[in-house]
Amino acid sequence: MKRSSADIIRSYGPFPGVGPVHGVTYDGRHVWFASRDGLSALDPETGEIVHRLDVPAHAGTAFDGRHLFQIAGDRIQRIDPVDGRIIASIPAPGGGDSGLAWAEGTLWVGQYRDRRIHQVDPETGAILRTLESDRLVTGVTWLDGELWHGAWHDEGSELRRLDGATGAVLESVDLPEGTLVSGLEADGADRFYCGGAGSGTVIAVRRPR
């Protein structure tokens, strides 16, 4: 397994009036992050919050190119990013749902407590496939056909690249001691955005090569 230390490019926040970060996604322009009672859109160039939606936002966040998906309690809600209107809702798998990602027409749900990653039908919530992990899963994303997830272990965090078919760990990127990851998203190019849990921050990590 390939192993390296994270190259942190930039840290954003904490932001006034915004609590812990529970989920992160990227719409091609803005980084959206969940903070329990709202979704905030962060401009990664300026570091400023440019838009906010007052919706329940308890865990992972995803973007399918048109809509946001947000874990809210035991549901996954599809949200209009312009006005915050909830368009549809499906049941979440349960078991400590944490991370959320969109890839190739399906949702991927990371489970913190159960240490699993589910592929989920976005129309019905049905579980299509499950990968097991030996770490607490704190975020999930896809980048160039590769599945990555955030993990907590022994008070530390790492980003792990998995074999998308078997769940085998192919690569690990260690975060600095004391850094907690709560939500993970790739920008489709050279960086990951990671939620900083109770720190109320979002960090950008360079994609390892």
Side-chain angles (χ1 to χ4, degrees):
M1 179 182 69
K2 182 179 178 182
R3 195 166 200 107
S4 63
S5 297
D7 178 4
I8 296 178
I9 302 168
R10 184 170 177 180
S11 180
Y12 304 93
F15 303 94
V18 178
V21 176
H22 302 302
V24 180
T25 194
Y26 182 67
D27 68 5
R29 184 179 177 192
H30 299 127
V31 179
W32 289 83
F33 62 91
S35 52
R36 193 162 185 79
D37 60 351
L39 275 165
S40 299
L42 167 71
D43 184 327
E45 296 301 320
T46 66
E48 301 293 327
I49 291 176
V50 297
H51 190 41
R52 180 173 168 82
L53 304 174
D54 293 326
V55 295
H58 303 145
T61 312
F63 182 70
D64 70 351
R66 182 180 179 190
H67 298 118
L68 294 163
F69 291 80
Q70 179 60 53
I71 295 174
D74 61 356
R75 309 291 295 178
I76 299 174
Q77 296 181 326
R78 186 188 303 228
I79 300 168
D80 187 319
V82 175
D83 58 14
R85 181 168 47 95
I86 296 173
I87 297 168
S89 178
I90 59 174
D97 301 316
S98 53
L100 190 62
W102 176 271
E104 298 181 352
T106 60
L107 289 167
W108 292 76
V109 181
Q111 290 187 311
Y112 176 79
R113 185 172 62 246
D114 288 353
R115 306 184 183 207
R116 292 175 176 167
I117 299 171
H118 297 298
Q119 184 182 19
V120 171
D121 184 318
E123 300 298 329
T124 66
I127 295 174
L128 306 174
R129 190 157 65 97
T130 298
L131 299 174
E132 304 283 346
S133 176
D134 60 356
R135 295 280 193 271
L136 300 171
V137 178
T138 62
V140 60
T141 190
W142 283 84
L143 177 59
D144 290 342
E146 297 178 332
L147 176 61
W148 290 78
H149 83 87
W152 283 359
H153 63 94
D154 299 330
E155 300 304 318
S157 289
E158 61 183 316
L159 308 183
R160 304 172 113 196
R161 178 167 61 88
L162 307 182
D163 183 314
T166 67
V169 182
L170 304 176
E171 182 173 2
S172 175
V173 180
D174 291 319
L175 276 296
E177 185 175 350
T179 302
L180 299 180
V181 172
S182 59
L184 176 66
E185 178 66 299
D187 73 346
D190 63 353
R191 67 180 59 186
F192 295 102
Y193 292 105
C194 308
S199 70
T201 63
V202 175
I203 61 172
V205 176
R206 195 179 311 281
R207 178 187 186 182
R209 299 292 185 179

